Amino acid sequence: MPTPLFPVFLDLAGRRVLLVGGGVVARRKAEAVLEAGADLVVGAPALVPELAQAAAEGRLAHRAGPFEPHWLDGAWLVIAATDDPAVNAVVAREAEARRIWVNVVDDAPRCSFQVPARVERGPLQVAISSRGEAPMLARWLRESLEMQLDPALGLFAEWLGGKREVLRARFPNVTRRRQVLEDLIRGPTADALRMGDSAAAEAAFAAALAEDATPCGRVILVGAGPGDPGLLTLRGLRALNQADVVLHDRLVSPEVLALSRRDAERIEVAKEAGTHHTTQQRIHELLLEHARAGKTVVRLKGGDPFVFGRGGEELEALRAAGIHYEVVPGITAAIACGAYTGIPLTHRDHAQSVRLVTAHCRNSIDTLDWRALAQERQTLVVYMGVQGLDTIRDRLIAHGRAPGTPFALVENGSRANQRVVLGTLADLPERAVAENVRSPALLILGEVAALAEKLHWFGAAPIERVLDANAPADPRPLSPPETLSSALKTAAALTLAA
Ligand SMILES: C[S@@+](CC[C@H](N)C(=O)[O-])C[C@H]1O[C@@H](n2cnc3c(N)ncnc32)[C@H](O)[C@@H]1O
């Protein structure tokens, strides 16, 4: 097992660094070294224009010509970045002999130090190294961290730096000081700074300084999206990384839940149509209880919290109790199911508008404006509609929607077990029963639904109705379209005729 490298962060400000090489690679290295404030000397017979310009502006010194060992005089670090391995080898050998740290680009065995991949947020830096053995892996890790670490962290680090002396004077006891700092770090301060609310950040700090400072918790309402963890937003992921407690609906997929902090407490508040395992009131109580205990609570909801998600009610409860909150939107089922089935919810030729409705219970069905919902050239997306499909079909047809209008029932949209059942409005409930469609499922009704037949790309192919020429006549005959494409034409023709 090779010995591990020892990571350090060097203060190069005003210290001499020799860079041997004047090409594109050397230019990249020079940028990083200059950024660190080094006294840079570049030795090479010729320089690329950017380096030549930096030399002309006095930002670096140029030693013209082939490498000479005396260039090393006074250098703390050396980087060999020529395109000639023999020259690089000489530079490395001479530097080593003088006990000067040397890096040879893309030649790990000749290096006495390596330059890590970096993620920077202001004064905060994360350095990643694979000791030159798996640079691609190190790069991948860097990219992942870039996504996960909030850009506001830099601002927060600077802000905290400015508070150090005050904190030290106020809390001479190190353990207590650490505790206060931990609460500040986990609390809403960084988010307040990100949102440009420095008054809130200062208020959180003042509260932390108070003698009887009780930690202040908060709630982040996060939309988990429809199931595919790749559809969670970056901000949602960051919130999950911060959460002490995750209060989640049953609809949230296990893959998304798995992205929360390992030591976070996860509480399922199962709520399904018709079977309210946890009342909304109890959910409010749980949110308040944990936030008041100083915890960062993520309230994780399927899809988007504000689309048939009762997110508004939860915010009202939090607002009334004076608890800090934030909302992170999620991809709602309509958008995700459209995308994952190849159904564009609007289409210049077929639908100029989209309506999202819920058919949760009889009350909501009765209060819907069926005349408006039955209009042609629009897409109707019905959430929680698996149970009331016969009513939906009857009311839409009674209010003028063509029986041949195509539909898609999308079950488990965006998940590995996604199923899509296609048909036309006239036989909507029968198709759902025949194909045993189960919740969560979404109804997309309108001419665009037929496009799934040719545009689908994810998971199993859509299940279409196969017409049996010998079957007894359908009790509710359509002017029977052979395929959904012809159903589309029929629907369009009916629209034209209307
Ligand atoms: C209580 S609502 C929540 C909607 C959620 N807030 C959203 O924005 O998607 C639940 C309904 O959303 C729909 N739904 C949610 N996720 C779904 C999925 N992955 N596939 C199909 N339908 C889904 C179903 O109609 C389900 O009954």
Side-chain angles (χ1 to χ4, degrees), residues 226 251 302-304 307-308 332-333 337 383-384 410 412-413 415 439-442:
L251 211 56
D304 180 86
V307 179
F308 307 125
T332 188
C337 291
Y383 286 66
M384 299 180 275
V410 188
N412 286 309
R415 302 176 187 214
S439 182
L442 192 83

Side-chain angles (χ1 to χ4, degrees), residues 144-320:
S144 318
L145 288 173
E146 281 288 3
M147 285 193 288
Q148 283 176 43
L149 299 182
D150 196 305
L153 272 177
L155 210 59
F156 186 42
E158 275 163 20
W159 183 87
L160 268 184
K163 306 292 185 204
R164 274 177 65 185
E165 290 313 318
V166 183
L167 278 170
R168 203 168 285 176
R170 173 72 186 79
F171 302 107
N173 177 299
V174 179
T175 316
R176 178 71 184 120
R177 192 160 69 233
R178 279 210 189 115
Q179 207 179 343
V180 170
L181 270 166
E182 177 112 341
D183 288 342
L184 275 173
I185 289 168
R186 288 187 178 278
T189 324
D191 289 322
L193 290 170
R194 169 168 47 75
M195 293 185 275
D197 192 350
S198 49
E202 294 302 333
F205 187 65
L209 292 186
E211 185 63 73
D212 58 345
T214 40
C216 92
R218 61 182 175 146
V219 174
I220 315 177
L221 195 56
V222 176
D228 178 348
L231 296 183
L232 182 71
T233 63
L234 280 181
R235 197 167 293 299
L237 180 62
R238 285 182 195 133
L240 282 176
N241 281 328
Q242 294 172 357
D244 302 305
V245 179
V246 179
L247 234 73
H248 65 93
D249 289 346
R250 179 167 291 176
L251 211 56
V252 172
S253 72
E255 292 87 347
V256 172
L257 261 184
L259 297 172
S260 51
R261 249 178 51 201
R262 293 217 170 275
D263 54 345
E265 184 184 352
R266 297 176 193 174
I267 305 172
E268 180 178 310
V269 284
K271 283 184 350 74
E272 288 177 341
T275 56
H276 286 235
H277 294 203
T278 313
T279 62
Q280 193 60 42
Q281 181 55 34
R282 179 65 192 136
I283 293 174
H284 295 172
E285 285 164 12
L286 284 169
L287 288 173
L288 299 185
E289 215 171 90
H290 288 287
R292 282 180 177 143
K295 309 258 175 72
T296 295
V297 184
V298 161
R299 172 72 177 105
L300 193 59
K301 288 170 166 285
D304 180 86
F306 282 180
V307 179
F308 307 125
R310 296 197 167 192
E313 292 168 43
E314 291 176 18
L315 288 201
E316 282 172 43
L318 294 169
R319 168 70 68 164

Side-chain angles (χ1 to χ4, degrees), residues 328-377:
V328 180
I331 295 188
T332 188
I335 303 294
C337 291
Y340 277 60
T341 53
I343 300 175
L345 298 182
T346 67
H347 189 296
R348 272 201 296 171
D349 298 335
H350 310 300
Q352 274 70 49
S353 62
V354 189
R355 280 176 191 262
L356 309 187
V357 295
T358 178
H360 182 198
C361 53
R362 186 139 297 277
N363 278 355
S364 56
I365 284 194
D366 286 337
T367 52
L368 290 173
D369 177 355
W370 289 99
R371 188 173 304 284
L373 298 182
Q375 273 169 23
E376 304 283 346
R377 301 187 69 76

